[in-house]
Amino acid sequence: MDGYLGSYATLGLVAAAGVLVFVGAFGANKLLRPAAPAQPPGKYVAYESGVDPVGGDWAQAQIRYYVYAYLYVLFAVEAVFLFPWAVVFDLPGFGWATVTEMGVFVAVLALGILYAWRKRILTWT
């Protein structure tokens, strides 16, 4: 399929195939499932790791877990940006400009970690 409209035709065929797979999966589910599933006693009781639940179903999470998760995501994103930079850095014409840009990027992240360190966010109590 060449030409201007050929790529749209390919996209349409892929979308139609996706819709057919979706409809086929849900149709097979409707045909193969039991009409009236059994309701054994205790089916809707909360179950966690093979142990019967004790106490209420609401628990308060500490904010420090979210802070650590946020910091992990921040540094994972930093690593995602460092790998393409390292590949481009070796190409001709990308000398000191790329070093300066990455220095600014890492400096901003270092300021963020320094701020968190000074506010004692990173101490585990």
Side-chain angles (χ1 to χ4, degrees):
M1 294 189 183
D2 294 330
Y4 179 74
L5 295 177
S7 59
Y8 288 112
T10 303
L11 178 66
L13 288 175
V14 169
V19 168
L20 284 176
V21 167
F22 183 78
V23 169
F26 274 92
N29 182 23
K30 187 169 178 91
L31 289 174
L32 297 176
R33 71 178 181 197
Q39 298 294 330
K43 180 175 182 175
Y44 294 110
V45 175
Y47 181 79
E48 183 175 341
S49 302
V51 179
D52 290 332
V54 177
D57 59 349
W58 186 83
Q60 186 175 5
Q62 297 290 333
I63 190 66
R64 68 178 139 226
Y65 300 125
Y66 296 109
V67 170
Y68 279 98
Y70 180 72
L71 288 173
Y72 170 76
V73 169
L74 180 74
F75 286 105
V77 168
E78 177 191 5
V80 166
F81 284 122
L82 282 175
F83 286 120
W85 173 80
V87 172
V88 170
F89 178 70
D90 194 31
L91 297 176
F94 289 99
W96 288 105
T98 56
V99 172
T100 305
E101 290 171 359
M102 191 50 64
V104 169
F105 179 70
V106 171
V108 168
L109 287 172
L111 282 174
I113 196 81
L114 181 66
Y115 175 79
W117 191 281
R118 299 259 324 201
K119 291 289 185 178
R120 303 231 182 247
I121 293 174
L122 301 178
T123 58
W124 192 266
T125 58

